[in-house]
Structure formats: structure tokens, C-alpha cells
């Protein structure tokens, strides 16, 4: 009975000195939280832009809110491509791709401190009902917008972790 506990303790011992620390240590008061809380999201065009900017604002506000030191500019490319054809040459499946190019701009100096991209795609079955297909395309866009926002916030957090001094 004691053998599994000892094995578990021995296996966990090397992890204590590995140097890993939580990305969001300190919560909204830590270096990453303070930086993310100081990001203002610029307007993004289109329905996809409305969804992505809303998701970004929701995530950044949840981490912390402070005076805007950075501005996040995002440009989106939303495409739907038909894949697969039925015997009557109609499309059987679609692929919706949402790509974002974003820049984090320092509000003090006006320089671009981060220039990166994020992307995600989803497959959509094209069914006999046009309404159902449109609903599936819309749902796919909502999911893709959430995924893009998650990718952007994660990349911003890594930037903040790398560049900001640790706070007590």
C-alpha cells in the first residue's frame, strides 16, 4: 500500500525544480494580467470582426482592466470554399477559414511591438435545407471567432510574459 505513494512522490520530485511557473501568476495584478488589461481592441470590420472583437474584449476585461497602454489592430480574412461535389454538381461540404493578422501597438511610442497571425477552420456539411446550411455557416463562424480570440490572447500573454518585469 505504501509503495504507490512512494513511487508517486519520487516521480513528482523532479518536477519541483523544473522552473515552470504559471503564465498568469499574480492574476490581474501580475505582469501578464496588467499588460493584457491595458490592451484596447480597435474596431474590426464585418460580422466576423464583431464576433472576434467581442470575444477579445471579453477575455481581456476578465483578466484585468487598466488604462490602455496598447492598441490591438486586427484584420480578418473570412472565406468559405466548397469541397466535394454530388452527382448533380452541387457542393456537398464547405470549409470555412478565418485568418487574422494582428498587431499590438505601444501607445506611448507608436511602434508595433508584436505582429502575428492566427487561423482556424471548420468543415460544414451542406444539406438540402438552405436555412440549415446558413445556420451551420454562422455557427462555424462563431466557433472560429472564439478560437481566434483565444489564440490572440495566448500570444499576447506570451509577449507580456517575455517582455514585462515580474511584479511582486
Amino acid at each position: 500500500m505504501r509503495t504507490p505513494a512512494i513511487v508517486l512522490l519520487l516521480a513528482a520530485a523532479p518536477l519541483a525544480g523544473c522552473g515552470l511557473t504559471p503564465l498568469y501568476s499574480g492574476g490581474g495584478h501580475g505582469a501578464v494580467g496588467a499588460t493584457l488589461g491595458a490592451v484596447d481592441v480597435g474596431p474590426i470590420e464585418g460580422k466576423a470582426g464583431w464576433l472576434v472583437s467581442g470575444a477579445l474584449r471579453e477575455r481581456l476585461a476578465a483578466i484585468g482592466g487598466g488604462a490602455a497602454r496598447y492598441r490591438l489592430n486586427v484584420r480578418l480574412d473570412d472565406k468559405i470554399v466548397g469541397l466535394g461535389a454530388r452527382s448533380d454538381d452541387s457542393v456537398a461540404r464547405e470549409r470555412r477559414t478565418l485568418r487574422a493578422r494582428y498587431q499590438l501597438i505601444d501607445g506611448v511610442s507608436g511602434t508595433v511591438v508584436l505582429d502575428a497571425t492566427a487561423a482556424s477552420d471548420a468543415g460544414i456539411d451542406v444539406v438540402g435545407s438552405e436555412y440549415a446550411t446558413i445556420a451551420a455557416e454562422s455557427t462555424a463562424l462563431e466557433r472560429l471567432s472564439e478560437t481566434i480570440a483565444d489564440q490572440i490572447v495566448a500570444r499576447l500573454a506570451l509577449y507580456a510574459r517575455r517582455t514585462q518585469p515580474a511584479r511582486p
Side-chain angles (χ1 to χ4, degrees):
M1 191 71 149
R2 288 185 166 198
T3 304
I6 292 171
V7 170
L8 182 62
L9 286 173
L10 290 174
L15 294 176
C18 72
L20 292 177
T21 59
L23 182 60
Y24 295 103
S25 63
H29 301 293
V32 173
T35 300
L36 293 180
V39 174
D40 178 41
V41 179
I44 309 170
E45 292 182 22
K47 180 180 179 181
W50 180 76
L51 290 167
V52 171
S53 66
L56 284 168
R57 286 186 179 99
E58 178 182 298
R59 284 156 178 73
L60 294 171
I63 294 169
R69 176 172 179 219
Y70 298 97
R71 179 160 183 87
L72 181 65
N73 292 333
V74 181
R75 283 192 322 243
L76 296 175
D77 182 26
D78 180 20
K79 290 185 181 176
I80 299 178
V81 178
L83 305 172
R86 295 187 179 101
S87 59
D88 64 352
D89 287 334
S90 64
V91 174
R93 189 150 172 86
E94 295 175 334
R95 177 180 173 194
R96 185 164 207 161
T97 305
L98 186 61
R99 306 234 183 277
R101 175 158 185 218
Y102 56 96
Q103 295 178 323
L104 185 65
I105 301 169
D106 188 322
V108 176
S109 66
T111 60
V112 175
V113 295
L114 178 65
D115 188 350
T117 60
S120 189
D121 61 17
I124 302 163
D125 287 327
V126 178
V127 295
S129 166
E130 187 175 335
Y131 175 78
T133 301
I134 292 170
E137 290 172 351
S138 182
T139 301
L141 180 59
E142 291 171 11
R143 284 193 326 265
L144 293 173
S145 298
E146 295 285 328
T147 302
I148 292 291
D150 288 340
Q151 289 177 14
I152 292 172
V153 170
R155 182 65 177 91
L156 293 177
L158 289 173
Y159 164 79
R161 176 62 170 229
R162 190 180 75 239
T163 60
Q164 301 300 317
R167 296 176 127 193

